Amino acid sequence: MAQTGDSSPPPYFNISPDAALTEMDEPVSTGGFAGLAARCVQGRDDLQTWGHQEEGGKTLRLFSTWEITKYLIPVAQAHFRRVLRANPDLPQGRSETEGGAKWFSLDEVLALRAHFAAEGSRSKEYLPYRPKGLPAKITAVANFKGGVGKTSTAAHLAMSAALDGYRVLIIDLDSQGSMTSIFGGKIADEWETVFPLIARDYALGLQAENRRRVERGDTPLPLDDVLDTALNKTAQDLIRKTHWPNIDLIGAQLNLYWAEFQIPVWRTKLRGWKLWEALSGALERDGVLNEYDVVILDTPPALGYLTINGLAAADILLVPLGASFLEFDSTGRFFDMLHSTFHSIEEGENLAARALGRPETRFEWDAVRAVITRYDGAQQAELAALMQGYLGRTLSPWRQDYTALVGQAGEQVNGIYEADYRDFNRDTYARGRRTFDETYAGFKRLLLGSWRRDELAGATTRPVRRQEAV
């Protein structure tokens, strides 16, 4: 029988209780958590300053002529330079050395893209497809298992869409606020999150109920200070600019979790309130879907009320998961819970709707796709193929590989599109970027196909797909 060269016993043998006692700290009280939290906040703030300006504002790097002509504007470098020479009013970029490569801000890239769209070849796609008169498409990225790359996927989709020329709004529904940190958001309290939008929706429902009560001669239900304050809030009050010129943010912070406790209390007081429509109703009511092209929702790793709001608002659902048995099993349970949750809502709503002869509620999504993240082809190819066999078209064929580029971007609280390719060799950069470019290409097909279907159907507003006439 083969033996290892190390004959020492395992480290968990012969541990002295008295020696272990000397290593113990004093017991931790609830106040001790406050100290730990404060140290983590200090450390987070220190780490978050990586990639920030001295005054604390996060900045987006510049883009080189090579990068622009390869990834952003479909023209040859020589033609790109000729156009700049012929149009001195266009952004000319800046060089770090005499005669060196020209570098441009994303604002300048967007201006150049608009020029090529107006003056360039009609056969090239300088601006992304966006049908006139149709609202933004909402995409929720969700899975109730943590650590599957949910926030990373949502952030990179937002960045990809922005680089493609779309106007993007990110809504962080996760009280951990990781997405908010990636985009440099600083949220003071729950009143700068989606909480007031949900509270306002309830308050409007309460006002409608009170009007009916007054007509019947009943006593109106009271509106407290929270609801009075929420009635004066709009989505535009909450939207913040980011260091990306065409990405805006409604951020999150720890107090947002309060909504998970408050929403069921409100539902108990007003049984007719459709709590799952609060977010979608707010976005439509405030005209947000006409101001953006793409809305990305980053949901908590749980199927709570905030996640339900995000899922009910979404046109497209993306479900990240790793290529492992446990994550595949957990994702199956997630889909089962989605079915149970939304089927239960439909049954509860339609029981009354059928009795009153009203339209029935039916939830429907333009597309649902699972995406494998943190993929290691050398170790996980067989399992990924088996998962593809079971999920079929629902599982995207593109895998998000884990590369050095992805790892470094995460350490620096950045997305891979914010990483300077000069910090890597060209092959590493191209390989790391390509895995996310392919994921975005798959998402863009869903986005364009969804819009095109609405366009051919003659829709002029956001399709009401969740109600079906009896």
Side-chain angles (χ1 to χ4, degrees), residues 365-401:
W365 291 264
D366 289 340
V368 176
R369 290 289 185 276
V371 181
I372 291 179
T373 59
R374 300 173 292 109
Y375 178 63
D376 180 353
Q379 303 291 329
Q380 299 175 325
E382 183 177 0
L383 183 53
L386 287 171
M387 292 165 61
Q388 191 82 58
Y390 284 108
L391 289 175
R393 286 170 54 84
T394 300
L395 182 62
S396 171
W398 303 113
R399 324 297 193 206
Q400 288 183 13
D401 297 330

PDB file of all heavy atoms in Angstrom, residues 365-401:
ATOM      1  N   TRP A 365     -42.940  35.843 -19.940  1.00  0.00           N
ATOM      2  CA  TRP A 365     -41.652  36.473 -20.205  1.00  0.00           C
ATOM      3  C   TRP A 365     -41.276  36.253 -21.663  1.00  0.00           C
ATOM      4  O   TRP A 365     -41.535  35.182 -22.230  1.00  0.00           O
ATOM      5  CB  TRP A 365     -40.583  35.891 -19.284  1.00  0.00           C
ATOM      6  CG  TRP A 365     -40.785  36.287 -17.857  1.00  0.00           C
ATOM      7  CD1 TRP A 365     -40.193  37.311 -17.196  1.00  0.00           C
ATOM      8  CD2 TRP A 365     -41.665  35.673 -16.897  1.00  0.00           C
ATOM      9  NE1 TRP A 365     -40.642  37.391 -15.897  1.00  0.00           N
ATOM     10  CE2 TRP A 365     -41.553  36.396 -15.687  1.00  0.00           C
ATOM     11  CE3 TRP A 365     -42.558  34.586 -16.954  1.00  0.00           C
ATOM     12  CZ2 TRP A 365     -42.279  36.065 -14.549  1.00  0.00           C
ATOM     13  CZ3 TRP A 365     -43.284  34.267 -15.818  1.00  0.00           C
ATOM     14  CH2 TRP A 365     -43.143  34.990 -14.631  1.00  0.00           C
ATOM     15  N   ASP A 366     -40.665  37.264 -22.262  1.00  0.00           N
ATOM     16  CA  ASP A 366     -40.233  37.133 -23.652  1.00  0.00           C
ATOM     17  C   ASP A 366     -39.241  35.994 -23.820  1.00  0.00           C
ATOM     18  O   ASP A 366     -39.261  35.280 -24.827  1.00  0.00           O
ATOM     19  CB  ASP A 366     -39.583  38.438 -24.137  1.00  0.00           C
ATOM     20  CG  ASP A 366     -40.584  39.561 -24.310  1.00  0.00           C
ATOM     21  OD1 ASP A 366     -41.790  39.269 -24.441  1.00  0.00           O
ATOM     22  OD2 ASP A 366     -40.167  40.738 -24.318  1.00  0.00           O
ATOM     23  N   ALA A 367     -38.353  35.837 -22.848  1.00  0.00           N
ATOM     24  CA  ALA A 367     -37.337  34.785 -22.935  1.00  0.00           C
ATOM     25  C   ALA A 367     -36.774  34.502 -21.555  1.00  0.00           C
ATOM     26  O   ALA A 367     -36.685  35.406 -20.707  1.00  0.00           O
ATOM     27  CB  ALA A 367     -36.203  35.204 -23.880  1.00  0.00           C
ATOM     28  N   VAL A 368     -36.393  33.244 -21.336  1.00  0.00           N
ATOM     29  CA  VAL A 368     -35.712  32.818 -20.114  1.00  0.00           C
ATOM     30  C   VAL A 368     -34.476  32.029 -20.533  1.00  0.00           C
ATOM     31  O   VAL A 368     -34.572  31.088 -21.337  1.00  0.00           O
ATOM     32  CB  VAL A 368     -36.619  31.940 -19.226  1.00  0.00           C
ATOM     33  CG1 VAL A 368     -35.839  31.428 -18.014  1.00  0.00           C
ATOM     34  CG2 VAL A 368     -37.858  32.712 -18.790  1.00  0.00           C
ATOM     35  N   ARG A 369     -33.314  32.431 -20.029  1.00  0.00           N
ATOM     36  CA  ARG A 369     -32.079  31.734 -20.358  1.00  0.00           C
ATOM     37  C   ARG A 369     -31.244  31.524 -19.098  1.00  0.00           C
ATOM     38  O   ARG A 369     -31.112  32.426 -18.274  1.00  0.00           O
ATOM     39  CB  ARG A 369     -31.237  32.533 -21.360  1.00  0.00           C
ATOM     40  CG  ARG A 369     -31.811  32.605 -22.762  1.00  0.00           C
ATOM     41  CD  ARG A 369     -31.722  31.260 -23.484  1.00  0.00           C
ATOM     42  NE  ARG A 369     -32.165  31.374 -24.863  1.00  0.00           N
ATOM     43  CZ  ARG A 369     -33.439  31.320 -25.253  1.00  0.00           C
ATOM     44  NH1 ARG A 369     -34.392  31.143 -24.341  1.00  0.00           N
ATOM     45  NH2 ARG A 369     -33.758  31.422 -26.518  1.00  0.00           N
ATOM     46  N   ALA A 370     -30.672  30.337 -18.975  1.00  0.00           N
ATOM     47  CA  ALA A 370     -29.672  30.058 -17.947  1.00  0.00           C
ATOM     48  C   ALA A 370     -28.291  30.249 -18.567  1.00  0.00           C
ATOM     49  O   ALA A 370     -28.092  29.956 -19.754  1.00  0.00           O
ATOM     50  CB  ALA A 370     -29.828  28.638 -17.420  1.00  0.00           C
ATOM     51  N   VAL A 371     -27.347  30.766 -17.784  1.00  0.00           N
ATOM     52  CA  VAL A 371     -26.000  31.066 -18.279  1.00  0.00           C
ATOM     53  C   VAL A 371     -24.986  30.454 -17.326  1.00  0.00           C
ATOM     54  O   VAL A 371     -25.024  30.719 -16.115  1.00  0.00           O
ATOM     55  CB  VAL A 371     -25.770  32.594 -18.375  1.00  0.00           C
ATOM     56  CG1 VAL A 371     -24.365  32.879 -18.905  1.00  0.00           C
ATOM     57  CG2 VAL A 371     -26.818  33.253 -19.255  1.00  0.00           C
ATOM     58  N   ILE A 372     -24.090  29.631 -17.858  1.00  0.00           N
ATOM     59  CA  ILE A 372     -23.040  29.037 -17.031  1.00  0.00           C
ATOM     60  C   ILE A 372     -21.938  30.058 -16.809  1.00  0.00           C
ATOM     61  O   ILE A 372     -21.408  30.648 -17.754  1.00  0.00           O
ATOM     62  CB  ILE A 372     -22.470  27.765 -17.687  1.00  0.00           C
ATOM     63  CG1 ILE A 372     -23.520  26.649 -17.665  1.00  0.00           C
ATOM     64  CG2 ILE A 372     -21.203  27.304 -16.974  1.00  0.00           C
ATOM     65  CD1 ILE A 372     -23.065  25.361 -18.307  1.00  0.00           C
ATOM     66  N   THR A 373     -21.601  30.286 -15.538  1.00  0.00           N
ATOM     67  CA  THR A 373     -20.568  31.255 -15.170  1.00  0.00           C
ATOM     68  C   THR A 373     -19.388  30.543 -14.518  1.00  0.00           C
ATOM     69  O   THR A 373     -19.480  29.378 -14.128  1.00  0.00           O
ATOM     70  CB  THR A 373     -21.146  32.291 -14.185  1.00  0.00           C
ATOM     71  OG1 THR A 373     -21.627  31.608 -13.014  1.00  0.00           O
ATOM     72  CG2 THR A 373     -22.315  33.053 -14.809  1.00  0.00           C
ATOM     73  N   ARG A 374     -18.259  31.268 -14.413  1.00  0.00           N
ATOM     74  CA  ARG A 374     -17.044  30.749 -13.765  1.00  0.00           C
ATOM     75  C   ARG A 374     -16.675  29.377 -14.341  1.00  0.00           C
ATOM     76  O   ARG A 374     -16.372  28.438 -13.618  1.00  0.00           O
ATOM     77  CB  ARG A 374     -17.257  30.653 -12.249  1.00  0.00           C
ATOM     78  CG  ARG A 374     -17.564  31.987 -11.601  1.00  0.00           C
ATOM     79  CD  ARG A 374     -17.943  31.857 -10.133  1.00  0.00           C
ATOM     80  NE  ARG A 374     -19.225  31.188  -9.966  1.00  0.00           N
ATOM     81  CZ  ARG A 374     -19.379  29.975  -9.485  1.00  0.00           C
ATOM     82  NH1 ARG A 374     -18.327  29.274  -9.115  1.00  0.00           N
ATOM     83  NH2 ARG A 374     -20.581  29.439  -9.370  1.00  0.00           N
ATOM     84  N   TYR A 375     -16.683  29.274 -15.650  1.00  0.00           N
ATOM     85  CA  TYR A 375     -16.567  27.978 -16.328  1.00  0.00           C
ATOM     86  C   TYR A 375     -15.107  27.593 -16.537  1.00  0.00           C
ATOM     87  O   TYR A 375     -14.280  28.397 -16.972  1.00  0.00           O
ATOM     88  CB  TYR A 375     -17.279  28.071 -17.674  1.00  0.00           C
ATOM     89  CG  TYR A 375     -17.214  26.814 -18.510  1.00  0.00           C
ATOM     90  CD1 TYR A 375     -17.799  25.634 -18.066  1.00  0.00           C
ATOM     91  CD2 TYR A 375     -16.569  26.811 -19.741  1.00  0.00           C
ATOM     92  CE1 TYR A 375     -17.751  24.484 -18.831  1.00  0.00           C
ATOM     93  CE2 TYR A 375     -16.520  25.670 -20.516  1.00  0.00           C
ATOM     94  CZ  TYR A 375     -17.104  24.507 -20.059  1.00  0.00           C
ATOM     95  OH  TYR A 375     -17.045  23.365 -20.829  1.00  0.00           O
ATOM     96  N   ASP A 376     -14.792  26.355 -16.223  1.00  0.00           N
ATOM     97  CA  ASP A 376     -13.470  25.770 -16.465  1.00  0.00           C
ATOM     98  C   ASP A 376     -13.655  24.610 -17.434  1.00  0.00           C
ATOM     99  O   ASP A 376     -14.084  23.522 -17.052  1.00  0.00           O
ATOM    100  CB  ASP A 376     -12.867  25.295 -15.140  1.00  0.00           C
ATOM    101  CG  ASP A 376     -11.479  24.678 -15.315  1.00  0.00           C
ATOM    102  OD1 ASP A 376     -11.035  24.505 -16.470  1.00  0.00           O
ATOM    103  OD2 ASP A 376     -10.838  24.370 -14.287  1.00  0.00           O
ATOM    104  N   GLY A 377     -13.350  24.853 -18.698  1.00  0.00           N
ATOM    105  CA  GLY A 377     -13.577  23.850 -19.731  1.00  0.00           C
ATOM    106  C   GLY A 377     -12.824  22.556 -19.507  1.00  0.00           C
ATOM    107  O   GLY A 377     -13.305  21.477 -19.859  1.00  0.00           O
ATOM    108  N   ALA A 378     -11.643  22.637 -18.879  1.00  0.00           N
ATOM    109  CA  ALA A 378     -10.853  21.428 -18.646  1.00  0.00           C
ATOM    110  C   ALA A 378     -11.501  20.517 -17.617  1.00  0.00           C
ATOM    111  O   ALA A 378     -11.331  19.291 -17.666  1.00  0.00           O
ATOM    112  CB  ALA A 378      -9.440  21.817 -18.188  1.00  0.00           C
ATOM    113  N   GLN A 379     -12.259  21.079 -16.691  1.00  0.00           N
ATOM    114  CA  GLN A 379     -12.842  20.301 -15.614  1.00  0.00           C
ATOM    115  C   GLN A 379     -14.351  20.096 -15.748  1.00  0.00           C
ATOM    116  O   GLN A 379     -14.897  19.132 -15.211  1.00  0.00           O
ATOM    117  CB  GLN A 379     -12.559  20.996 -14.263  1.00  0.00           C
ATOM    118  CG  GLN A 379     -11.095  21.221 -13.963  1.00  0.00           C
ATOM    119  CD  GLN A 379     -10.355  19.932 -13.694  1.00  0.00           C
ATOM    120  OE1 GLN A 379     -10.926  18.977 -13.187  1.00  0.00           O
ATOM    121  NE2 GLN A 379      -9.081  19.893 -14.053  1.00  0.00           N
ATOM    122  N   GLN A 380     -15.036  20.981 -16.456  1.00  0.00           N
ATOM    123  CA  GLN A 380     -16.495  20.998 -16.378  1.00  0.00           C
ATOM    124  C   GLN A 380     -17.194  20.766 -17.717  1.00  0.00           C
ATOM    125  O   GLN A 380     -18.419  20.850 -17.774  1.00  0.00           O
ATOM    126  CB  GLN A 380     -16.945  22.358 -15.809  1.00  0.00           C
ATOM    127  CG  GLN A 380     -16.422  22.616 -14.410  1.00  0.00           C
ATOM    128  CD  GLN A 380     -16.774  24.008 -13.916  1.00  0.00           C
ATOM    129  OE1 GLN A 380     -16.814  24.962 -14.678  1.00  0.00           O
ATOM    130  NE2 GLN A 380     -17.045  24.119 -12.618  1.00  0.00           N
ATOM    131  N   ALA A 381     -16.451  20.448 -18.753  1.00  0.00           N
ATOM    132  CA  ALA A 381     -17.057  20.320 -20.085  1.00  0.00           C
ATOM    133  C   ALA A 381     -18.125  19.225 -20.121  1.00  0.00           C
ATOM    134  O   ALA A 381     -19.205  19.403 -20.702  1.00  0.00           O
ATOM    135  CB  ALA A 381     -15.977  20.049 -21.128  1.00  0.00           C
ATOM    136  N   GLU A 382     -17.846  18.083 -19.506  1.00  0.00           N
ATOM    137  CA  GLU A 382     -18.794  16.964 -19.558  1.00  0.00           C
ATOM    138  C   GLU A 382     -20.089  17.302 -18.827  1.00  0.00           C
ATOM    139  O   GLU A 382     -21.191  17.063 -19.346  1.00  0.00           O
ATOM    140  CB  GLU A 382     -18.160  15.714 -18.955  1.00  0.00           C
ATOM    141  CG  GLU A 382     -19.065  14.476 -19.046  1.00  0.00           C
ATOM    142  CD  GLU A 382     -18.392  13.229 -18.508  1.00  0.00           C
ATOM    143  OE1 GLU A 382     -17.233  13.306 -18.057  1.00  0.00           O
ATOM    144  OE2 GLU A 382     -19.045  12.159 -18.535  1.00  0.00           O
ATOM    145  N   LEU A 383     -19.953  17.881 -17.633  1.00  0.00           N
ATOM    146  CA  LEU A 383     -21.144  18.234 -16.873  1.00  0.00           C
ATOM    147  C   LEU A 383     -21.936  19.335 -17.581  1.00  0.00           C
ATOM    148  O   LEU A 383     -23.172  19.299 -17.617  1.00  0.00           O
ATOM    149  CB  LEU A 383     -20.757  18.682 -15.464  1.00  0.00           C
ATOM    150  CG  LEU A 383     -21.915  19.024 -14.515  1.00  0.00           C
ATOM    151  CD1 LEU A 383     -22.921  17.875 -14.445  1.00  0.00           C
ATOM    152  CD2 LEU A 383     -21.397  19.367 -13.133  1.00  0.00           C
ATOM    153  N   ALA A 384     -21.230  20.302 -18.152  1.00  0.00           N
ATOM    154  CA  ALA A 384     -21.925  21.373 -18.881  1.00  0.00           C
ATOM    155  C   ALA A 384     -22.700  20.802 -20.065  1.00  0.00           C
ATOM    156  O   ALA A 384     -23.820  21.243 -20.356  1.00  0.00           O
ATOM    157  CB  ALA A 384     -20.925  22.421 -19.357  1.00  0.00           C
ATOM    158  N   ALA A 385     -22.128  19.818 -20.738  1.00  0.00           N
ATOM    159  CA  ALA A 385     -22.818  19.191 -21.870  1.00  0.00           C
ATOM    160  C   ALA A 385     -24.073  18.447 -21.395  1.00  0.00           C
ATOM    161  O   ALA A 385     -25.115  18.481 -22.063  1.00  0.00           O
ATOM    162  CB  ALA A 385     -21.875  18.235 -22.591  1.00  0.00           C
ATOM    163  N   LEU A 386     -23.972  17.769 -20.240  1.00  0.00           N
ATOM    164  CA  LEU A 386     -25.149  17.091 -19.692  1.00  0.00           C
ATOM    165  C   LEU A 386     -26.240  18.097 -19.327  1.00  0.00           C
ATOM    166  O   LEU A 386     -27.429  17.885 -19.602  1.00  0.00           O
ATOM    167  CB  LEU A 386     -24.751  16.279 -18.461  1.00  0.00           C
ATOM    168  CG  LEU A 386     -23.941  15.000 -18.713  1.00  0.00           C
ATOM    169  CD1 LEU A 386     -23.431  14.426 -17.408  1.00  0.00           C
ATOM    170  CD2 LEU A 386     -24.797  13.975 -19.458  1.00  0.00           C
ATOM    171  N   MET A 387     -25.842  19.208 -18.717  1.00  0.00           N
ATOM    172  CA  MET A 387     -26.800  20.247 -18.372  1.00  0.00           C
ATOM    173  C   MET A 387     -27.470  20.809 -19.624  1.00  0.00           C
ATOM    174  O   MET A 387     -28.676  21.064 -19.640  1.00  0.00           O
ATOM    175  CB  MET A 387     -26.099  21.368 -17.589  1.00  0.00           C
ATOM    176  CG  MET A 387     -25.634  20.940 -16.208  1.00  0.00           C
ATOM    177  SD  MET A 387     -24.438  22.088 -15.445  1.00  0.00           S
ATOM    178  CE  MET A 387     -25.406  23.589 -15.366  1.00  0.00           C
ATOM    179  N   GLN A 388     -26.675  20.965 -20.676  1.00  0.00           N
ATOM    180  CA  GLN A 388     -27.234  21.459 -21.945  1.00  0.00           C
ATOM    181  C   GLN A 388     -28.268  20.479 -22.482  1.00  0.00           C
ATOM    182  O   GLN A 388     -29.314  20.874 -23.015  1.00  0.00           O
ATOM    183  CB  GLN A 388     -26.114  21.646 -22.968  1.00  0.00           C
ATOM    184  CG  GLN A 388     -26.523  22.396 -24.233  1.00  0.00           C
ATOM    185  CD  GLN A 388     -26.503  23.899 -24.030  1.00  0.00           C
ATOM    186  OE1 GLN A 388     -25.477  24.461 -23.684  1.00  0.00           O
ATOM    187  NE2 GLN A 388     -27.637  24.562 -24.247  1.00  0.00           N
ATOM    188  N   GLY A 389     -27.982  19.192 -22.325  1.00  0.00           N
ATOM    189  CA  GLY A 389     -28.915  18.187 -22.810  1.00  0.00           C
ATOM    190  C   GLY A 389     -30.260  18.249 -22.094  1.00  0.00           C
ATOM    191  O   GLY A 389     -31.306  18.059 -22.713  1.00  0.00           O
ATOM    192  N   TYR A 390     -30.230  18.519 -20.812  1.00  0.00           N
ATOM    193  CA  TYR A 390     -31.483  18.584 -20.050  1.00  0.00           C
ATOM    194  C   TYR A 390     -32.225  19.906 -20.260  1.00  0.00           C
ATOM    195  O   TYR A 390     -33.450  19.928 -20.363  1.00  0.00           O
ATOM    196  CB  TYR A 390     -31.206  18.386 -18.559  1.00  0.00           C
ATOM    197  CG  TYR A 390     -30.924  16.947 -18.189  1.00  0.00           C
ATOM    198  CD1 TYR A 390     -29.643  16.544 -17.852  1.00  0.00           C
ATOM    199  CD2 TYR A 390     -31.952  16.000 -18.185  1.00  0.00           C
ATOM    200  CE1 TYR A 390     -29.372  15.220 -17.518  1.00  0.00           C
ATOM    201  CE2 TYR A 390     -31.693  14.682 -17.861  1.00  0.00           C
ATOM    202  CZ  TYR A 390     -30.410  14.292 -17.526  1.00  0.00           C
ATOM    203  OH  TYR A 390     -30.147  12.983 -17.199  1.00  0.00           O
ATOM    204  N   LEU A 391     -31.483  21.003 -20.318  1.00  0.00           N
ATOM    205  CA  LEU A 391     -32.124  22.313 -20.419  1.00  0.00           C
ATOM    206  C   LEU A 391     -32.339  22.783 -21.856  1.00  0.00           C
ATOM    207  O   LEU A 391     -33.137  23.691 -22.102  1.00  0.00           O
ATOM    208  CB  LEU A 391     -31.304  23.361 -19.660  1.00  0.00           C
ATOM    209  CG  LEU A 391     -31.330  23.244 -18.138  1.00  0.00           C
ATOM    210  CD1 LEU A 391     -30.389  24.259 -17.495  1.00  0.00           C
ATOM    211  CD2 LEU A 391     -32.743  23.429 -17.610  1.00  0.00           C
ATOM    212  N   GLY A 392     -31.614  22.181 -22.797  1.00  0.00           N
ATOM    213  CA  GLY A 392     -31.816  22.533 -24.206  1.00  0.00           C
ATOM    214  C   GLY A 392     -31.544  24.006 -24.467  1.00  0.00           C
ATOM    215  O   GLY A 392     -30.574  24.580 -23.975  1.00  0.00           O
ATOM    216  N   ARG A 393     -32.435  24.654 -25.227  1.00  0.00           N
ATOM    217  CA  ARG A 393     -32.239  26.039 -25.617  1.00  0.00           C
ATOM    218  C   ARG A 393     -32.298  26.999 -24.432  1.00  0.00           C
ATOM    219  O   ARG A 393     -31.833  28.141 -24.528  1.00  0.00           O
ATOM    220  CB  ARG A 393     -33.287  26.451 -26.663  1.00  0.00           C
ATOM    221  CG  ARG A 393     -33.034  25.877 -28.039  1.00  0.00           C
ATOM    222  CD  ARG A 393     -34.233  26.107 -28.958  1.00  0.00           C
ATOM    223  NE  ARG A 393     -34.620  27.516 -29.022  1.00  0.00           N
ATOM    224  CZ  ARG A 393     -34.052  28.418 -29.825  1.00  0.00           C
ATOM    225  NH1 ARG A 393     -33.054  28.047 -30.624  1.00  0.00           N
ATOM    226  NH2 ARG A 393     -34.486  29.666 -29.853  1.00  0.00           N
ATOM    227  N   THR A 394     -32.879  26.548 -23.325  1.00  0.00           N
ATOM    228  CA  THR A 394     -32.935  27.430 -22.157  1.00  0.00           C
ATOM    229  C   THR A 394     -31.548  27.710 -21.609  1.00  0.00           C
ATOM    230  O   THR A 394     -31.311  28.766 -21.011  1.00  0.00           O
ATOM    231  CB  THR A 394     -33.821  26.812 -21.060  1.00  0.00           C
ATOM    232  OG1 THR A 394     -35.133  26.622 -21.583  1.00  0.00           O
ATOM    233  CG2 THR A 394     -33.895  27.694 -19.831  1.00  0.00           C
ATOM    234  N   LEU A 395     -30.604  26.787 -21.790  1.00  0.00           N
ATOM    235  CA  LEU A 395     -29.228  27.010 -21.350  1.00  0.00           C
ATOM    236  C   LEU A 395     -28.438  27.617 -22.495  1.00  0.00           C
ATOM    237  O   LEU A 395     -28.298  27.014 -23.550  1.00  0.00           O
ATOM    238  CB  LEU A 395     -28.586  25.699 -20.896  1.00  0.00           C
ATOM    239  CG  LEU A 395     -27.148  25.811 -20.371  1.00  0.00           C
ATOM    240  CD1 LEU A 395     -27.101  26.694 -19.131  1.00  0.00           C
ATOM    241  CD2 LEU A 395     -26.566  24.432 -20.082  1.00  0.00           C
ATOM    242  N   SER A 396     -27.923  28.817 -22.277  1.00  0.00           N
ATOM    243  CA  SER A 396     -27.122  29.472 -23.306  1.00  0.00           C
ATOM    244  C   SER A 396     -25.904  28.619 -23.649  1.00  0.00           C
ATOM    245  O   SER A 396     -25.250  28.075 -22.759  1.00  0.00           O
ATOM    246  CB  SER A 396     -26.656  30.844 -22.810  1.00  0.00           C
ATOM    247  OG  SER A 396     -25.710  31.406 -23.695  1.00  0.00           O
ATOM    248  N   PRO A 397     -25.580  28.472 -24.944  1.00  0.00           N
ATOM    249  CA  PRO A 397     -24.410  27.670 -25.314  1.00  0.00           C
ATOM    250  C   PRO A 397     -23.095  28.355 -24.983  1.00  0.00           C
ATOM    251  O   PRO A 397     -22.039  27.721 -25.023  1.00  0.00           O
ATOM    252  CB  PRO A 397     -24.574  27.507 -26.829  1.00  0.00           C
ATOM    253  CG  PRO A 397     -25.376  28.694 -27.259  1.00  0.00           C
ATOM    254  CD  PRO A 397     -26.314  28.974 -26.110  1.00  0.00           C
ATOM    255  N   TRP A 398     -23.117  29.645 -24.659  1.00  0.00           N
ATOM    256  CA  TRP A 398     -21.891  30.355 -24.332  1.00  0.00           C
ATOM    257  C   TRP A 398     -21.615  30.277 -22.847  1.00  0.00           C
ATOM    258  O   TRP A 398     -22.493  30.476 -22.022  1.00  0.00           O
ATOM    259  CB  TRP A 398     -21.991  31.819 -24.776  1.00  0.00           C
ATOM    260  CG  TRP A 398     -22.284  31.969 -26.232  1.00  0.00           C
ATOM    261  CD1 TRP A 398     -23.428  32.470 -26.786  1.00  0.00           C
ATOM    262  CD2 TRP A 398     -21.450  31.574 -27.311  1.00  0.00           C
ATOM    263  NE1 TRP A 398     -23.352  32.421 -28.156  1.00  0.00           N
ATOM    264  CE2 TRP A 398     -22.149  31.874 -28.517  1.00  0.00           C
ATOM    265  CE3 TRP A 398     -20.187  30.993 -27.416  1.00  0.00           C
ATOM    266  CZ2 TRP A 398     -21.627  31.631 -29.775  1.00  0.00           C
ATOM    267  CZ3 TRP A 398     -19.668  30.740 -28.669  1.00  0.00           C
ATOM    268  CH2 TRP A 398     -20.372  31.061 -29.823  1.00  0.00           C
ATOM    269  N   ARG A 399     -20.371  29.959 -22.496  1.00  0.00           N
ATOM    270  CA  ARG A 399     -19.971  29.850 -21.096  1.00  0.00           C
ATOM    271  C   ARG A 399     -19.083  31.034 -20.730  1.00  0.00           C
ATOM    272  O   ARG A 399     -18.223  31.426 -21.506  1.00  0.00           O
ATOM    273  CB  ARG A 399     -19.179  28.577 -20.825  1.00  0.00           C
ATOM    274  CG  ARG A 399     -19.584  27.334 -21.598  1.00  0.00           C
ATOM    275  CD  ARG A 399     -20.966  26.862 -21.316  1.00  0.00           C
ATOM    276  NE  ARG A 399     -21.185  25.527 -21.851  1.00  0.00           N
ATOM    277  CZ  ARG A 399     -22.363  25.081 -22.192  1.00  0.00           C
ATOM    278  NH1 ARG A 399     -23.430  25.857 -22.072  1.00  0.00           N
ATOM    279  NH2 ARG A 399     -22.525  23.839 -22.642  1.00  0.00           N
ATOM    280  N   GLN A 400     -19.277  31.558 -19.533  1.00  0.00           N
ATOM    281  CA  GLN A 400     -18.413  32.629 -19.064  1.00  0.00           C
ATOM    282  C   GLN A 400     -17.188  32.004 -18.409  1.00  0.00           C
ATOM    283  O   GLN A 400     -17.243  31.551 -17.262  1.00  0.00           O
ATOM    284  CB  GLN A 400     -19.153  33.529 -18.075  1.00  0.00           C
ATOM    285  CG  GLN A 400     -20.205  34.411 -18.714  1.00  0.00           C
ATOM    286  CD  GLN A 400     -20.859  35.334 -17.709  1.00  0.00           C
ATOM    287  OE1 GLN A 400     -20.382  35.493 -16.595  1.00  0.00           O
ATOM    288  NE2 GLN A 400     -21.948  35.951 -18.106  1.00  0.00           N
ATOM    289  N   ASP A 401     -16.088  31.964 -19.141  1.00  0.00           N
ATOM    290  CA  ASP A 401     -14.851  31.396 -18.614  1.00  0.00           C
ATOM    291  C   ASP A 401     -14.299  32.266 -17.490  1.00  0.00           C
ATOM    292  O   ASP A 401     -14.473  33.487 -17.478  1.00  0.00           O
ATOM    293  CB  ASP A 401     -13.789  31.300 -19.711  1.00  0.00           C
ATOM    294  CG  ASP A 401     -14.196  30.359 -20.828  1.00  0.00           C
ATOM    295  OD1 ASP A 401     -14.929  29.396 -20.544  1.00  0.00           O
ATOM    296  OD2 ASP A 401     -13.809  30.603 -21.985  1.00  0.00           O
TER     297      ASP A 401
END
